[in-house]
Every structure is written in C-alpha cells, then in structure tokens.
Amino acid sequence: MSDFSAEAMGLVIREHRQAQGPSMTQEELAKRADYGKGGAVSISRIESGLVSPGEHRLAAIALALRLTPEQLKGEAEDRTMSLARQRGQRPVKLRDQVAETKRRHAEITEKAAQRSKITQEYGEAFNRVHDVVRDDFFMRFVELAESISGAPEPERPGEGETESTGGETPAAIRIEAMSAGIANVIRGAAAGGAAGVAAGGAAAYGAFTAAALFGTASTGAAISTLSGVAATNATLALLGGGTLAAGGAGMAGGILLLTGMVAAPVAALAAAGFYVVKQRRNKKEELRLRTEIEAAEAALNQSQKGFDTMADVLPRATAIMEYVEVHGTHALEKWRASLPPEPRNWEALGTGERERYKEFLTVAGCFLAVDIINVPALLTATPDDVREMAKAIDETLRYADKTIKTNV
C-alpha cells in the first residue's frame, strides 16, 4: 500500500516535468496527460501539494513523463520520509523556533484557504450544470413520461442478484434498480395516482426521487446496498441541502458544505493567530502555538485522501452532467416532437418511441446514481474507508458515463 504525502508527490512530478528535455510546461503536461480545459491549473495544484492525483490521473501523468505509476509512487514515498526527517529537526534557539512556526502557520493557513477555494469552485460548477439537467432533462422526461398511460412495468433486479456479490451491489444493478423505481412512480402518476409532481425545481425533484428511491427499496434489497458504499446508509440522509424527501438536492445541495473540512484547522489557526503577530513571545507561548499548528496540520493531513478523491470525483461528475445537458436535452426534445398528441397511450407509440422511453429511463437512473453519491462523507472517513468508497464511486461514474453515452 502506497504511503506518500500530496506535497511529496507534487515535488516529484514537478522535478520530472522540469527535467524533460526541453523542460515541459504545466500546460504541456496537462495536455499529454489528457486533462481537459484548465488542465494547467490542475497540474499546478498537484505540484503545489494541494491535491494528489487519483490512480487513473497518476497513470496518465506517469505516461506523459515516460515513467510508471510505481516509479512516481516510490519516489514520492522516499520524499515523504525525507521531508518528515527535515521537519523533525527543530531549531534550538527560540528566535529560530518562532520564525519556523510563523512559516508553518502561513503555509497551512494558505493551504486551508486554497482547499476551500478549490472545493467551492468544483461544487459551484457541479451545482450549475446539475440544476439545468435536473429541470431540463430529468423532470422534463418525468413530465412527458407521465403523459403516457399503459407503460409496461419495468423489470427489477431480483433479490438474488443484489445479494450475489457478497452484499455490495454492482453499479449496473444499482442503476437498474433506480431506473425501475423512477418508472414505477411515473406509472403511478400516469394511472392517475398522486405520485406525480410538477416539473422543475429542487422541491419537485426531491419529492419525486424520494418516492422513486423508496420504491426501489421495495424490491427487498436494502437501500444501503442500492446506493452503494459511497452513499449514506439511508440514502435520504441529510446532505447539506436537506433530505431529498424534504426537497433537498442530494449531492448538489450539500456539496458546498465540504468547506467545513477546514473548520477545525481554521479555528485552531485563528486561536493561534494572536501569538503569530506578537513581536515577542516566551517559550510557553511558542509551545502553545506550535501545538495548535501541529493539530491543524494533522487535521488537514487526515482528510487529504478524502479531499483528493473529492477533487477527482466532482469534475468527472460535472462532465457527465454536461454531456446530458448538451446531448440529453437535445435528444429529449426530438423525442417529445415525435410523440403523438395527448392523451397518449403506450400502445399508440411506435417501436422507436418506446425504445427511446426506455433509454431515457436508463439515463435518468444514471443521473440519480451520480447525484446521490455522498461526497461529503469522504472527508470524515478513515483512509481505508476512503479507498473503498473511492472504488465504489469510480465504478458508478464509469458505468454511468458509458451508459449515458450509449443511450443518448
């Protein structure tokens, strides 16, 4: 198991980039490593030790530098130990101790501020496109689908399927179950039930998806398995914007609360700030400040793996949403234009129109699976739990991305 700091990995990558002949710019490395728009900013953040790249990103960077991921990890592990030894050698004189502590205080304060900035940047980008897709694709599809009576009952994954993998349900089965839940709520509304909701808005989306997810769980499989390791055990648990049942917006609603991951370190640093600015202080005050700074450093280090995973997950989730925003909404509008006038009946639809209904239902399930990923939980999980959660999230994102592009 690799054990290296984000700072060490950043230094190693920077050194190899600059050692290329001729020296490679951050923009060139980003391009060769298949980063998209703004890739140079991502490389800069990696080299600054703010973020450590995930496995697939690290593999791409290593290839661009003509190295293997194992080589980069090995060098980063050695550099991590070297940095730890250097920092363990404290100055003897109080004056030098004060200077070192001031430097560490400034360094970690900047790191906490940058983390908050990165989190807000990624969260706002996701929220923007999520809200468009929610209103212009998901709820628009629900509105159209509710106008079609007689749609067949969707096939649900059986209890045997959900239990055949040792308790952790594959992304394909989870998404299939979510699509079935969505379809059942739509069928109930189309038959004149009370499950239908007006299109648009977080409240409508929350009410609809709460009903859909509860319906999904009625298959006999626990909601916790259907939403995967990375989601909350109850799926509808509070995610910052409120429960889905109460009109919240899942991951979109809660994502900006990720800035809370620096609350404890920032509080410690603020408490220590008075001593930092003092021109003179005694050994007792110096020890107190150093202790608070070390606690803040430990808190940030503890959440580093979760933060790294968040920094990998949110841009990927945003890209999936952007694809649906561009291609899904266009395809849905074409389908709407092809439908017969209301009142509509399933038997009156052509083969192509029926197939499109099923495809959009699958895309809606993928959208929901991506939306309920519990990214905030990453920042309070242990490193071992983060690895398991990251694996489940990666599977969901990969499957959703592939499936959406196949069906839209």
Side-chain angles (χ1 to χ4, degrees):
M1 180 176 64
S2 300
D3 187 12
F4 54 81
S5 68
E7 178 187 11
M9 177 57 78
L11 290 171
V12 169
I13 289 175
R14 174 182 290 163
E15 289 166 3
H16 279 289
R17 174 180 62 80
Q18 294 176 340
Q20 301 293 307
S23 178
M24 188 186 300
T25 66
Q26 291 177 336
E27 186 174 356
E28 289 170 337
L29 177 56
K31 184 176 181 180
R32 295 186 190 186
D34 293 324
Y35 277 82
K37 184 179 179 181
V41 174
S42 296
I43 296 298
S44 175
R45 287 170 174 169
I46 290 171
E47 292 186 351
S48 298
L50 293 171
V51 181
S52 187
E55 291 293 330
H56 69 290
R57 287 294 191 191
L58 185 62
I61 290 173
L63 181 63
L65 296 173
R66 297 192 288 273
L67 298 166
T68 67
E70 289 69 29
Q71 285 175 305
L72 285 178
K73 289 178 183 178
E75 291 187 32
E77 288 176 0
D78 292 341
R79 184 62 62 85
T80 299
M81 290 187 288
S82 174
L83 290 171
R85 285 194 298 269
Q86 291 175 20
R87 285 166 184 163
Q89 300 170 356
R90 299 194 180 281
V92 176
K93 295 181 179 180
L94 178 60
R95 181 181 59 185
D96 295 334
Q97 290 177 6
V98 169
E100 181 197 29
T101 303
K102 282 185 176 181
R103 179 191 61 77
R104 290 171 66 185
H105 181 274
E107 186 177 273
I108 196 167
T109 299
E110 176 62 19
K111 185 173 184 178
Q114 287 299 320
R115 275 203 188 185
S116 180
K117 178 182 177 181
I118 291 168
T119 301
Q120 184 167 351
E121 175 187 312
Y122 286 158
E124 288 179 346
F126 176 86
N127 284 348
R128 184 203 65 77
V129 68
H130 167 276
D131 290 353
V132 172
V133 174
R134 178 197 64 205
D135 295 342
D136 294 352
F137 176 82
F138 188 95
M139 294 309 300
R140 181 60 173 150
F141 166 68
V142 168
E143 181 185 36
L144 290 170
E146 285 179 352
S147 72
I148 302 171
S149 61
E153 182 175 356
E155 294 184 9
R156 297 171 175 271
E159 189 173 343
E161 284 184 278
T162 60
E163 294 181 351
S164 64
T165 56
E168 184 174 327
T169 312
I173 297 177
R174 294 200 302 272
I175 290 175
E176 182 182 350
M178 289 177 191
S179 296
I182 294 168
N184 274 329
V185 178
I186 289 173
R187 289 176 72 249
V197 293
Y205 171 70
F208 181 89
T209 52
L213 286 168
F214 278 127
T216 296
S218 68
T219 63
I223 278 186
S224 59
T225 62
L226 292 173
S227 56
V229 179
T232 55
N233 287 338
T235 295
L236 304 179
L238 192 65
L239 297 182
T243 63
L244 289 173
M251 184 166 74
I255 206 61
L256 289 184
L257 288 188
L258 287 174
T259 54
M261 70 186 162
V262 297
V266 168
L269 293 171
F274 170 74
Y275 295 103
V276 170
V277 299
K278 283 186 67 174
Q279 295 298 316
R280 301 173 65 87
R281 58 177 179 264
N282 58 38
K283 288 185 178 181
K284 183 178 180 180
E285 291 172 336
E286 169 60 28
L287 177 61
R288 174 181 173 179
L289 174 58
R290 186 192 313 151
T291 300
E292 289 170 340
I293 288 176
E294 287 174 351
E297 288 174 335
L300 286 181
N301 289 338
Q302 175 66 28
S303 63
Q304 184 69 52
K305 289 187 182 297
F307 178 77
D308 292 340
T309 303
M310 180 278 296
D312 175 68
V313 166
L314 275 182
R316 293 171 63 191
T318 301
I320 290 172
M321 296 289 180
E322 287 174 341
Y323 189 91
V324 178
E325 178 186 26
V326 174
H327 302 284
T329 53
H330 177 70
L332 185 65
E333 178 58 26
K334 289 181 64 177
W335 182 63
R336 183 202 63 77
S338 72
L339 292 174
E342 296 188 54
R344 302 182 178 110
N345 184 278
W346 181 262
E347 297 301 325
L349 302 186
T351 301
E353 292 163 342
R354 294 180 184 181
E355 286 302 311
R356 214 58 177 133
Y357 170 90
K358 295 176 182 178
E359 290 168 350
F360 288 135
L361 193 59
T362 298
V363 174
C366 290
F367 168 82
L368 186 55
V370 172
D371 186 32
I372 68 171
I373 289 173
N374 189 0
V375 176
L378 290 166
L379 297 162
T380 56
T382 65
D384 286 342
D385 286 342
V386 167
R387 275 186 282 272
E388 291 301 313
M389 294 165 71
K391 181 180 178 182
I393 293 173
D394 179 68
E395 180 192 2
T396 297
L397 292 177
R398 287 179 185 273
Y399 184 83
D401 184 51
K402 178 181 178 181
T403 303
I404 288 171
K405 289 177 179 176
T406 299
N407 286 279
V408 172

